[in-house]
Short mmCIF file of all heavy atoms in Angstrom, two decimals:
data_model
loop_
_atom_site.label_atom_id
_atom_site.label_comp_id
_atom_site.label_asym_id
_atom_site.label_seq_id
_atom_site.Cartn_x
_atom_site.Cartn_y
_atom_site.Cartn_z
N GLY A 12 13.02 5.45 -16.09
CA GLY A 12 14.34 4.86 -16.19
C GLY A 12 14.32 3.37 -16.48
O GLY A 12 15.37 2.76 -16.62
N LEU A 17 10.21 -6.81 -10.07
CA LEU A 17 9.57 -8.09 -9.76
C LEU A 17 8.08 -7.84 -9.63
O LEU A 17 7.67 -6.78 -9.16
CB LEU A 17 10.11 -8.68 -8.46
CG LEU A 17 11.59 -9.07 -8.43
CD1 LEU A 17 11.98 -9.52 -7.02
CD2 LEU A 17 11.88 -10.17 -9.43
N PHE A 36 11.36 4.29 5.16
CA PHE A 36 10.23 5.04 5.71
C PHE A 36 9.59 4.27 6.85
O PHE A 36 9.24 4.86 7.88
CB PHE A 36 9.18 5.33 4.63
CG PHE A 36 7.92 5.92 5.18
CD1 PHE A 36 7.85 7.27 5.50
CD2 PHE A 36 6.81 5.12 5.42
CE1 PHE A 36 6.69 7.82 6.04
CE2 PHE A 36 5.65 5.66 5.96
CZ PHE A 36 5.59 7.01 6.25
N ALA A 46 4.48 13.76 12.37
CA ALA A 46 3.68 14.97 12.54
C ALA A 46 4.54 16.12 13.07
O ALA A 46 4.20 17.29 12.88
CB ALA A 46 2.52 14.70 13.49
N GLY A 57 21.32 10.73 -4.35
CA GLY A 57 21.28 9.90 -5.55
C GLY A 57 20.26 10.44 -6.55
O GLY A 57 20.18 11.65 -6.77
N LEU A 68 4.64 10.32 1.07
CA LEU A 68 4.07 9.64 2.23
C LEU A 68 3.86 10.55 3.43
O LEU A 68 3.11 10.22 4.34
CB LEU A 68 4.96 8.45 2.63
CG LEU A 68 5.04 7.32 1.59
CD1 LEU A 68 6.09 6.29 2.01
CD2 LEU A 68 3.69 6.65 1.40
N ILE A 77 18.06 18.95 -0.50
CA ILE A 77 19.03 17.96 -0.95
C ILE A 77 20.37 18.65 -1.17
O ILE A 77 20.45 19.64 -1.92
CB ILE A 77 18.58 17.28 -2.26
CG1 ILE A 77 17.33 16.42 -2.01
CG2 ILE A 77 19.70 16.45 -2.87
CD1 ILE A 77 16.72 15.85 -3.27
N PHE A 121 16.66 22.05 10.79
CA PHE A 121 16.23 20.77 10.26
C PHE A 121 15.78 19.84 11.39
O PHE A 121 16.49 19.65 12.38
CB PHE A 121 17.35 20.11 9.46
CG PHE A 121 17.66 20.82 8.18
CD1 PHE A 121 18.86 21.49 8.02
CD2 PHE A 121 16.74 20.86 7.15
CE1 PHE A 121 19.15 22.16 6.84
CE2 PHE A 121 17.01 21.53 5.96
CZ PHE A 121 18.22 22.18 5.81
N ILE A 138 32.84 14.35 6.09
CA ILE A 138 31.77 13.90 6.98
C ILE A 138 31.71 14.77 8.22
O ILE A 138 30.63 15.19 8.65
CB ILE A 138 31.98 12.43 7.36
CG1 ILE A 138 31.99 11.55 6.12
CG2 ILE A 138 30.90 11.96 8.34
CD1 ILE A 138 32.41 10.12 6.38
N GLU A 139 32.87 15.07 8.79
CA GLU A 139 32.91 15.91 10.00
C GLU A 139 32.36 17.30 9.72
O GLU A 139 31.72 17.90 10.58
CB GLU A 139 34.34 15.97 10.52
CG GLU A 139 34.83 14.64 11.09
CD GLU A 139 36.30 14.66 11.48
OE1 GLU A 139 37.01 15.62 11.06
OE2 GLU A 139 36.73 13.73 12.19
N ARG A 143 29.21 19.04 11.73
CA ARG A 143 29.27 20.37 12.35
C ARG A 143 28.23 21.31 11.76
O ARG A 143 27.59 22.07 12.49
CB ARG A 143 30.67 20.98 12.17
CG ARG A 143 31.78 20.28 12.92
CD ARG A 143 33.04 21.14 12.92
NE ARG A 143 33.42 21.56 11.57
CZ ARG A 143 34.24 20.88 10.77
NH1 ARG A 143 34.76 19.73 11.19
NH2 ARG A 143 34.56 21.33 9.58
N LYS A 155 22.08 5.25 7.21
CA LYS A 155 22.04 3.89 6.66
C LYS A 155 23.29 3.72 5.81
O LYS A 155 23.34 4.15 4.66
CB LYS A 155 20.77 3.68 5.83
CG LYS A 155 20.68 2.31 5.17
CD LYS A 155 19.44 2.24 4.30
CE LYS A 155 19.37 0.96 3.51
NZ LYS A 155 18.18 0.92 2.63
N LEU A 177 42.91 1.43 -2.40
CA LEU A 177 43.34 1.88 -1.07
C LEU A 177 42.53 3.07 -0.58
O LEU A 177 42.24 3.18 0.61
CB LEU A 177 44.83 2.23 -1.10
CG LEU A 177 45.78 1.05 -1.29
CD1 LEU A 177 47.24 1.52 -1.32
CD2 LEU A 177 45.59 0.02 -0.19
N ASP A 193 30.22 -13.42 8.32
CA ASP A 193 30.40 -13.94 9.67
C ASP A 193 29.47 -13.18 10.62
O ASP A 193 29.70 -12.00 10.89
CB ASP A 193 31.86 -13.76 10.10
CG ASP A 193 32.13 -14.27 11.51
OD1 ASP A 193 31.16 -14.56 12.25
OD2 ASP A 193 33.32 -14.35 11.89
N LEU A 222 20.05 -4.00 7.77
CA LEU A 222 19.28 -4.09 6.55
C LEU A 222 19.06 -5.56 6.23
O LEU A 222 20.02 -6.34 6.20
CB LEU A 222 20.03 -3.40 5.41
CG LEU A 222 19.36 -3.37 4.04
CD1 LEU A 222 18.04 -2.62 4.11
CD2 LEU A 222 20.28 -2.69 3.02
#
Side-chain angles (χ1 to χ4, degrees):
L17 296 175
F36 172 80
L68 295 173
I77 293 173
F121 291 112
I138 300 171
E139 291 174 346
R143 292 193 307 270
K155 177 183 174 182
L177 292 179
D193 180 349
L222 181 61

